[in-house]
Amino acid sequence: MRTTVGVLLDLKTYKGIVKRRTGNERIALYDRAGNKWGIKPFYMCLRYVNRKSALGYFYTNHKYKLVRRNIPRVTHNRAITLTPYLKKKLNELSRYSYVFNRQNRYDKHLIHHLIHKNAHLRKYLPESTKYTRKQLESAMSKYTSLFIKPTNSSVGNGIMKASKQAGGAWKLHGVFSKPKLVSRERAILLIHKKVRKQRYMIQEAIPLATYKGRPYDIRVSVQRSENGQWQITGIVGKVAARGRHVTNVAKGGQVKRCEELFKSSGFNAAHITEEIHQASLAIARHLGSSLPHMADLGLDVGVDQSGGIKLIEVNGRDQRYSFRKAKMHATFYKTYEAPIQYAKFLLK
């Protein structure tokens, strides 16, 4: 008999299980991996979790069956828990189950600070600071291009970019519906107005390598696996849509295999790939030693025009679908298999 492991989903994904409409989550891949590793995934939603039991779905006899059962000893968290109610429910669940990826949305400035504490990893960090109007003015004097990012968002939401143009004007992305040229003073006023009282950070813009004139970065899936250690599950490139200031697929970015991108930039693909692997593993190990229950990361890594490596962002809930869009089906499956393997390791 296979051992049960919980998979915690958002409400919308959970409700779509019966009709097989689970958005970007391909839960059938958890079932496939479970068959291979002797694990039976039990799909849960915090709304239907009580103190020691949950109403959830098992896949059996070629369909998903709704049952109530005891809380599994180990749970893989794929839900976003931002409201006080969901945080409370997650804390209650964590009393009875070891929930890995328990926290999967991290403050970007906190992540930057933790990595900066490691002298060996600082070389991978672009210059960054917490947002204040004074820091914005300072950064605009220091850099010709910079990003202003919300510290707790995903898929590129809320990100602004300011780039200095010939003649002293600044080109703003993410403030208006289309990029617009304004004076330095106007740029500061508009950015500050958009930030208001939200938490933002300012980050030096990396002169990213380009593909057909469009900047690209690399998504790296780093996960704990069957031996509890971090592994690189896969890497894939994300090319910004024409005229866009972010590479996110949700914002029109195009996925490409890294070999094609590196070749187009004239890089040694094997060398760059190995450096990205080593940097990503070192970052994951360092963060994993500081932040409990971390087991599944999506790192956005920039390659500058000289082939240098810089960390752009750490995502605590990797969307994974970039691999599917790039037709990297074996890698896409492995991103679902690794959490099942890690759950089996935890059960030991």
Side-chain angles (χ1 to χ4, degrees):
M1 185 175 178
R2 289 186 288 158
T3 305
T4 299
V5 165
V7 179
L8 192 60
L9 302 172
D10 288 325
L11 179 61
K12 184 178 179 181
T13 307
Y14 176 86
K15 286 190 170 183
I17 288 176
V18 173
K19 294 183 179 180
R20 312 286 178 101
R21 294 177 182 172
T22 53
N24 288 316
E25 288 283 17
R26 295 295 189 264
I27 66 171
L29 297 183
Y30 284 127
D31 297 313
R32 176 179 157 190
N35 281 330
K36 180 178 176 180
W37 292 95
I39 297 293
K40 194 167 185 63
F42 178 55
Y43 302 103
M44 304 184 295
C45 172
L46 286 171
R47 179 178 287 191
Y48 305 108
V49 174
N50 294 330
R51 293 195 64 180
K52 293 186 179 180
S53 69
L55 188 65
Y57 289 94
F58 277 124
Y59 185 70
T60 182
N61 295 325
H62 307 292
K63 65 180 181 179
Y64 289 97
K65 184 179 180 181
L66 188 64
V67 298
R68 180 167 289 281
R69 61 146 290 143
N70 291 337
I71 299 294
R73 288 166 51 208
V74 170
T75 298
H76 170 41
N77 182 25
R78 287 292 292 172
I80 293 292
T81 52
L82 300 180
T83 66
Y85 168 76
L86 291 177
K87 288 177 180 178
K88 181 182 177 183
K89 294 285 284 185
L90 183 60
N91 286 336
E92 290 173 356
L93 174 64
S94 300
R95 294 176 191 170
Y96 304 101
S97 180
Y98 183 94
V99 182
F100 64 96
N101 298 328
R102 179 174 167 180
Q103 181 176 351
N104 51 27
R105 181 73 69 82
Y106 292 96
D107 182 274
K108 292 178 175 63
H109 195 266
L110 168 66
I111 294 294
H112 180 90
H113 173 72
L114 288 174
I115 296 172
H116 192 269
K117 288 168 68 175
N118 185 316
H120 298 291
L121 299 179
R122 284 177 199 160
K123 62 183 178 181
Y124 298 121
L125 293 175
E127 291 283 332
S128 301
T129 185
K130 285 184 178 180
Y131 176 89
T132 64
R133 181 167 179 155
K134 186 175 180 180
Q135 289 288 7
L136 175 63
E137 292 171 356
S138 175
M140 290 176 73
S141 297
K142 188 175 181 182
Y143 308 118
T144 57
S145 188
L146 54 127
F147 283 99
I148 304 93
K149 300 179 174 182
T151 62
N152 193 18
S153 70
S154 61
V155 298
N157 290 330
I159 294 177
M160 294 173 276
K161 184 180 181 182
S163 301
K164 192 174 183 179
Q165 308 296 301
W170 284 77
K171 189 175 187 179
L172 293 185
H173 291 259
V175 176
F176 306 98
S177 58
K178 293 182 179 180
K180 190 171 181 179
L181 283 175
V182 297
S183 68
R184 183 180 189 275
E185 293 72 23
R186 179 77 173 150
I188 292 168
L189 182 68
L190 289 167
I191 292 168
H192 193 67
K193 185 177 180 180
K194 186 159 184 177
V195 169
R196 295 183 181 274
K197 294 182 179 180
Q198 301 172 79
R199 288 185 298 175
Y200 269 69
M201 66 186 292
I202 301 165
Q203 188 176 80
E204 164 198 13
I206 304 159
L208 291 174
T210 59
Y211 175 80
K212 296 183 178 179
R214 293 177 289 158
Y216 66 82
D217 61 24
I218 308 300
R219 169 56 62 91
V220 189
S221 177
V222 199
Q223 299 172 297
R224 293 190 193 267
S225 189
E226 58 191 302
N227 58 3
Q229 302 300 310
W230 290 99
Q231 68 171 25
I232 303 295
T233 306
I235 68 172
V236 66
K238 298 183 281 113
V239 185
R242 196 165 301 282
R244 287 277 191 172
H245 61 295
V246 292
T247 63
N248 304 75
V249 177
K251 300 296 182 184
Q254 181 183 14
V255 293
K256 288 283 182 182
R257 291 178 182 253
C258 294
E259 297 85 354
E260 182 180 354
L261 296 178
F262 297 153
K263 184 178 179 181
S264 75
S265 298
F267 298 144
N268 181 318
H271 175 76
I272 293 282
T273 300
E274 178 61 22
E275 188 170 351
I276 289 173
H277 277 216
Q278 294 304 318
S280 300
L281 282 172
I283 289 166
R285 288 169 185 149
H286 176 68
L287 291 176
S289 67
S290 304
L291 299 169
H293 316 300
M294 183 179 273
D296 193 338
L297 298 175
L299 272 56
D300 287 328
V301 176
V303 182
D304 67 26
Q305 293 167 8
S306 302
I309 304 298
K310 292 288 185 180
L311 175 70
I312 297 173
E313 197 166 294
V314 174
N315 300 279
R317 182 176 178 263
D318 190 1
Q319 297 288 350
R320 305 189 289 207
Y321 57 73
S322 296
F323 297 109
R324 176 172 54 84
K325 288 182 177 292
K327 298 188 176 4
M328 298 170 64
H329 300 299
T331 302
F332 184 52
Y333 163 70
K334 287 178 182 176
T335 63
Y336 284 81
E337 183 182 37
I340 294 296
Q341 291 174 301
Y342 183 54
K344 186 167 185 176
F345 166 79
L346 292 172
L347 285 166
K348 294 177 183 177

